[in-house]
């Protein structure tokens, strides 16, 4: 049996749909964006888009439409999923939750799914829902909200089988549809009123023959009705009586539109050009209430992202939802914004990784975790994306200083009233040193009011333009201008200060068990109150919980001996809450912080453990205890701000930044091996920086944008297809393809690049020669067709700065789908596989294997071998290489004269697309035959032979494969993941040749690539890891990053029970069942999901309040242990066990 954990590390980023309206409130303008199975809801403000909700659905969004129900103040949202579920959603402003007001399943037992697109729509009068998901069939659903009944669809037969697009028209007495019908040699626009009572279409009221490549209908809410049809050569307005066309220039194909108002529409094409379509109207003399469209005008506005959907927001601002790169927020101007005459100004971009075609997982920083370098996007949006877990510190300066115990940044007023920091206070055992920051120069100084003969516990700016220094024996107040000592507070009887906390106006100091509360006045310390605790105080914090206040109302203490936390009320120091932490390790640091309006109390112990709670500011009550491991050494919690947002830096042997996103506490690793102390620093030379301490250095650096996964974009402006890492030179080999367009030169058609891109601007370039007699020029290719052509290149990219060092352009009509770094004869080469496009045959009949050297930042073809087809995959294999060429799997050896020689070939495939190796075994992924497992016998015969194959032949295409272990293999088709295993229980040799399929799950996305790797360092808290082996990372078409891990038996049983129990507590948006969403479903059969735990669902357990967690655990029905397995101890603390297990798994990504 195979037990697996599937989880998303990066949610889908490719935007497929966008709509705008008043969803969350009648007063708010909202933008709703669909990305795979997620809905992102934003509010449009003067400052930009503000995220409101991120909603997950148990279904991939196929259609999305906002509509305004009659007699209601807010808009509702209609959703159609790819598995034929429909739902209508509304937003409850009081609770902030999404409400499902209607839902249903519109799948039919019979019917052929439409091959063009799924269409879902609501008529303008909000009477009915129209759905086209089966060829020749229209489903109609009466629109009923809050009825408590499932929506039921009625089938209406269409006159035509193939429908390209379909919509409801405006201004009709009864719901009326218009659709584009694809006929034998042409296309027609047909308009039919609906006869709802008879469940049929009325007689066609009008129709037009239209351009054969017409693909989009735009309904126009004009008094004269009608619609606009978008083709490849024209855009035409059609009405019953007349039509008005406007020609289109040659170039991209129009693929999306967005309504500005009833007379203006934005239209986008496949190259990213953005147009404004104007409908010019006049009032009819016979009827002044009805308009007539007299003309259409189409104006090019400029170029932006390649849009999948366009949404006009307000004041000339447009959101462009892109599936091929970053989505954009743009501003349309009335005057050109640059020299090119563009009217489009880009305001903001939103990361889109999709589609991820290929990726490499490489430990570039040698810190024990991988970075992902993905081939993302297409066309001009093509790019490499560097994805790493955690947050980077960009080092600006470093000072060689050891044994520093603390650091604080100060601002003195002696430099022209500058508000920036100009001083660093460094604390050592038995002394304090002061550093003055003068631009980029640092000099040591003596500040008169400071004590430099003691270790400093705290230093900082306070009210009344004063400074405070706290040492073991004294609290000193210093004039920030003259730097003179103003006053001093000392403990009675010569006792020593053990720990202290200070803010702008208050100080709480502990002397053993005694706690003093002081208030900072103008030149004086006011000793307000004193309390004696039961045990010695270990740590204190008095950070105000309201981010706009300087005065704290609560004080948090951590105590020795009983290992507890106390919350005290200020100024009385009355204990209003206490909490025992348990164990024997004392708290070393404590912090109160407010993130996104939610207040937290964090307590770090001496062994690297962190407890965190919710704290109620008025009452001081602490609830919802949670625990995780941040490292193995004591953790110090420090506040800091980035871009005006407060965060917590956890200093330890594995430094971590704690922050909040979507009201969820997140923990991201920092790319430094150790940080013992830190502070914020904002000086002239190093603005918005951090000063970080470790055992040997003081480092000054800036922090990357605070997010769980950090994504860096390397634009290529052409499509990347494959990538490999060349470890000897620490460079990447990347296969790309660009478009070259025809131009006329001296009456002849030649081809030049459509735009500057990585392959045309590389530092050096070389070119393949077509043949002895062929005419191939670097800057132009002879052509006759006049159509754009694809040109493939191999790029060499530096792994440090990601500069394109070299570009090698392949022959005309030659493309590449395979590249690998292979060690042959003791040397590492980059091997590229190509295929030549053949217009006469569907299948390529020739290609090449190019063995290339990497020397001095340049690629050079060292050897080439002709092959009888297209090379789809290359993989190194024990000093040889294996290539998949059409239906052949061939093993090549490296001869003494350094040439490739074919050793043996296996040909029993339809089309071999993917290869993976382990030892002497070769796993083959076939276009239609799923898996085959081959073995290469390294004896005198040197032959390939089949030892096992998958008999569960899936009709969907194989998209990716990976080897888990010697007997277990992972595969992906267009929507699912599945596991195949050798049949070890078989009793005959013949049965052993056929694999079994013990696990499968629906993903709702197309997985293009698997890679063994880890996004995080091996965590000290995972000594008893619930997973087996190394995780497998995957990338998808929708730009998601996911992970598959193999679970231990006991962890699988526990998580399976947790998953089922969670379904009774976690609400499903749209009332779609989780089991239906995850079921392995094809056109021919449906199987329940088995062998996989849904990590996205399970990890929602950590977001539940404590009482809901307890309810979920109480409802868990633990599966009995199998023979040979450890049984669950009924006396163990099950809730703590479950929380720890899920937290351990969540930290894997």
């Amino acid at each position: 049996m195979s037990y697996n954990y599937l989880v998303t590390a990066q949610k889908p980023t490719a935007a497929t749909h966008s709509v705008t309206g008043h969803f969350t409130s009648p007063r708010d303008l909202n933008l709703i964006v669909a990305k795979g199975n997620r809905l992102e809801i934003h509010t449009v403000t003067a400052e930009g888009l503000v995220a409101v909700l991120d909603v997950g659905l148990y279904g991939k969004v196929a259609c999305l439409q906002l509509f305004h129900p009659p007699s209601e103040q807010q808009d509702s949202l209609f959703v159609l999923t790819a598995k034929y579920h429909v739902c209508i959603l509304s937003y409850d402003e009081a609770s902030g939750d999404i409400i499902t007001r209607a839902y249903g399943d519109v799948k039919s037992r019979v019917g052929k799914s439409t091959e063009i697109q799924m269409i879902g729509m609501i008529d303008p009068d909000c009477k009915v829902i129209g759905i086209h998901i089966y060829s020749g069939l229209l489903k109609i659903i009466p629109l009923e909200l809050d009825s408590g009944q499932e929506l039921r669809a009625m089938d209406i037969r269409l006159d035509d089988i193939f429908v390209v697009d379909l919509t409801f028209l405006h201004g009709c007495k009864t719901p009326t549809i218009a659709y584009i019908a694809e006929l034998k040699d042409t296309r027609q626009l047909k308009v039919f009123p609906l006869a709802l009572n008879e469940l049929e279409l009325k007689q066609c009221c009008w129709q037009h023959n239209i351009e054969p490549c017409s693909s989009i209908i735009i309904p126009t809410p004009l008094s004269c009705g009608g619609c606009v049809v978008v083709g490849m050569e024209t855009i035409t307005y059609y009405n019953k009586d007349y039509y008005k066309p406007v020609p289109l220039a040659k170039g991209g194909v129009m693929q999306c539109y967005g309504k500005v108002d009833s007379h203006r529409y934005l239209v986008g094409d496949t190259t990213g050009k953005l147009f404004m379509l104007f409908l010019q109207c006049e009032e009819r003399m016979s009827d002044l209430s009805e308009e007539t469209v007299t003309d259409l005008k189409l104006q090019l506005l400029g170029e932006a992202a390649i849009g999948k959907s366009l949404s006009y927001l307000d004041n000339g601002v447009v959101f462009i939802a892109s599936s091929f790169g970053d989505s954009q927020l743009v501003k349309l101007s009335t005057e050109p914004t640059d020299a090119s005459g563009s009217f489009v100004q880009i305001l903001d971009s939103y990361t889109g990784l999709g589609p991820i075609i290929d990726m490499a997982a490489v430990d570039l920083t040698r810190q024990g975790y991988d970075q992902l370098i993905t081939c993302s996007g297409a066309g001009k949006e093509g790019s490499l994306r560097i994805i790493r877990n955690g947050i980077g510190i960009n080092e600006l300066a470093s000072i060689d200083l050891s044994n520093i115990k603390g650091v604080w940044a100060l601002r003195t007023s002696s430099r022209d009233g500058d508000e920036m920091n100009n001083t660093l206070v460094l604390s050592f055992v038995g002394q304090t040193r002061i550093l003055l920051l003068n631009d980029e120069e640092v000099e040591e100084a003596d500040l008169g009011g400071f004590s430099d003969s003691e270790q400093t516990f705290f230093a900082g700016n306070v009210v009344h333009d004063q400074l405070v220094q706290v040492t073991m024996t004294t609290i000193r107040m210093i004039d920030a201008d003259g730097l003179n000592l103003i006053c001093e507070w000392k403990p009675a009887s010569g006792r020593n200060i053990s720990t202290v906390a200070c803010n702008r106006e208050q100080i709480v100091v502990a002397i053993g068990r005694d706690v003093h509360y002081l208030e900072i006045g103008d030149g004086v310390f006011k000793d307000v109150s004193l309390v004696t605790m039961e045990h010695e105080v270990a740590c204190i914090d008095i950070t105000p919980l309201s981010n706009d206040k300087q005065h704290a109302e609560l004080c948090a203490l951590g105590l020795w001996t009983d290992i507890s936390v106390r919350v005290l009320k200020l100024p009385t120091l009355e204990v209003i809450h206490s909490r025992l932490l348990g164990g024997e390790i004392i708290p070393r640091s404590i912090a109160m912080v407010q993130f996104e309006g939610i207040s937290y109390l964090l307590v770090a112990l001496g062994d690297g453990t962190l407890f965190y709670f919710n704290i109620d500011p008025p009452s001081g009550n602490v609830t919802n205890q949670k625990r995780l491991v941040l490292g193995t050494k004591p953790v110090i919690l420090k506040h800091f701000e980035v871009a005006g947002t407060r965060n917590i830096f956890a200093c330890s042997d594995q430094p971590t930044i704690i922050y909040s996103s979507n009201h969820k506490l997140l923990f991201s690793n920092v790319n430094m091996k150790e940080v013992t102390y830190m502070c914020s620093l904002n000086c002239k030379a190093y603005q918005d920086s951090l000063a970080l301490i470790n055992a040997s250095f003081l480092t000054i650096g800036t922090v990357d944008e605070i997010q769980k996964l950090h994504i860096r974009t390397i634009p290529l402006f052409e499509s990347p297809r494959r990538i490999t890492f060349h470890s000897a030179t620490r460079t990447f080999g990347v296969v790309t393809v660009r478009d070259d367009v025809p131009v006329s030169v001296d009456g002849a058609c030649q081809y030049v690049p459509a735009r500057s891109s990585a392959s045309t601007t590389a530092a050096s370039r070389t070119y393949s020669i077509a043949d002895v007699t062929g005419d191939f020029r670097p800057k132009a290719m002879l052509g006759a067709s006049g159509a754009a052509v694809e040109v493939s290149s191999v790029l060499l990219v530096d792994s440090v700065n990601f500069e394109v060092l070299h570009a090698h352009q392949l022959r005309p009509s030659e493309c590449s789908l395979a590249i690998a770094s292979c060690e042959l004869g003791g040397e590492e080469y980059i091997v590229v596989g190509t295929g030549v496009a053949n217009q006469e045959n569907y299948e390529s009949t020739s290609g090449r294997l190019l063995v290339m050297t990497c020397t001095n930042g340049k690629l050079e073809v060292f050897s080439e071998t002709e092959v009888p087809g297209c090379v789809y995959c290359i993989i190194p294999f024990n000093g040889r290489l294996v290539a998949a060429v059409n239906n052949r799997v061939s093993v090549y050896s490296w001869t003494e004269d350094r040439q490739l020689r074919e050793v043996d070939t296996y040909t029993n495939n339809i089309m071999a697309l993917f290869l993976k190796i382990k030892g002497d075994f070769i796993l083959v992924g076939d276009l239609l035959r799923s898996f085959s497992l081959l073995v290469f016998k390294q004896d005198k015969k040197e032959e390939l032979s089949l030892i096992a194959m998958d008999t569960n032949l899936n009709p969907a295409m194989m998209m990716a494969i990976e080897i888990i272990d010697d007997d277990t293999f992972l595969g992906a088709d267009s929507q699912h993941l599945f596991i195949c295993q050798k049949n070890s229980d078989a009793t005959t040799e013949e049965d052993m040749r056929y694999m079994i399929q013990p696990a499968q799950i629906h993903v709702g996305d197309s997985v293009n690539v698997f890679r063994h790797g880890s996004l995080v360092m091996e965590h000290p808290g995972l000594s008893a890891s619930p997973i087996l082996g190394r995780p497998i990372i995957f990338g998808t078409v929708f730009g998601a990053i996911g992970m598959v891990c193999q679970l231990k038996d006991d962890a699988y049983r526990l998580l399976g029970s947790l998953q089922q129990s969670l379904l009774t507590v976690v609400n499903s948006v749209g009332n779609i069942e989780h089991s239906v969403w995850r079921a392995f479903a094809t056109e021919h059969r449906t199987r329940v999901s088995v062998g996989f735990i849904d990590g996205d669902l399970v990890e929602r357990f950590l977001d539940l309040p404590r009482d809901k967690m307890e309810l979920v655990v109480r409802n868990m029905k633990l599966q009995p242990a199998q023979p040979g397995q450890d049984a669950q101890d009924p006396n163990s603390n099950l809730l703590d066990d479950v929380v720890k297990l899920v937290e351990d798994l969540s930290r894997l990504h």
Side-chain angles (χ1 to χ4, degrees), residues 737-749:
V737 62
R738 70 169 192 266
D739 284 338
D740 279 15
V741 295
V743 296
S744 178
V745 179
D746 297 330
C749 179

Side-chain angles (χ1 to χ4, degrees), residues 318 477 580 628 642 700 757 992 1034 1100:
V318 180
M477 182 181 292
L580 294 176
L628 61 86
V642 173
I700 297 174
S757 61
M992 290 181 66
F1034 61 82
R1100 293 179 66 180

Side-chain angles (χ1 to χ4, degrees), residues 124-193:
D125 296 326
C126 299
K127 295 179 180 178
V128 295
I129 302 170
I131 298 173
H132 177 62
I133 53 178
Y134 295 106
S135 297
L137 200 66
L138 176 66
K139 289 181 175 287
I140 295 296
I141 305 174
L143 184 54
E144 298 178 358
L145 301 178
D146 307 321
S147 65
Q149 302 294 321
E150 286 193 34
L151 297 175
R152 300 294 181 184
M154 302 174 289
D155 293 343
I156 295 179
R157 184 66 59 183
L158 298 177
D159 288 355
D160 301 279
I161 299 297
F162 301 107
V163 174
V164 178
D165 197 13
L166 184 148
T167 189
F168 281 109
L169 295 184
H170 292 263
C172 302
K173 294 181 180 179
T174 61
T176 301
I177 64 166
Y179 66 81
I180 297 175
E182 183 171 359
L183 306 179
K184 183 177 181 181
D185 298 317
T186 186
R187 291 183 179 179
Q188 287 185 341
L189 173 66
K190 296 184 177 182
V191 177
F192 292 88

Side-chain angles (χ1 to χ4, degrees), residues 226-261:
C227 60
V228 172
V229 175
V230 181
M232 287 188 66
E233 298 179 355
T234 61
I235 296 180
T236 308
Y237 170 80
Y238 287 98
N239 203 331
K240 180 178 181 180
D241 304 320
Y242 61 92
Y243 64 92
K244 293 289 181 181
V246 60
L248 294 175
K250 291 184 178 180
V253 178
M254 300 296 181
Q255 67 175 4
C256 59
Y257 75 92
K259 177 185 172 185
V260 179
D261 54 38

Side-chain angles (χ1 to χ4, degrees), residues 594-598 600 645-647 657-667 706:
Q594 188 177 81
F595 292 136
E596 298 183 302
I598 302 175
Y600 298 92
T645 302
R646 182 174 292 183
N647 307 283
I657 289 179
I658 305 171
Y659 63 103
S660 177
S661 179
N662 292 324
H663 304 286
K664 180 180 179 181
L665 214 57
L666 299 177
F667 305 83
I706 304 294

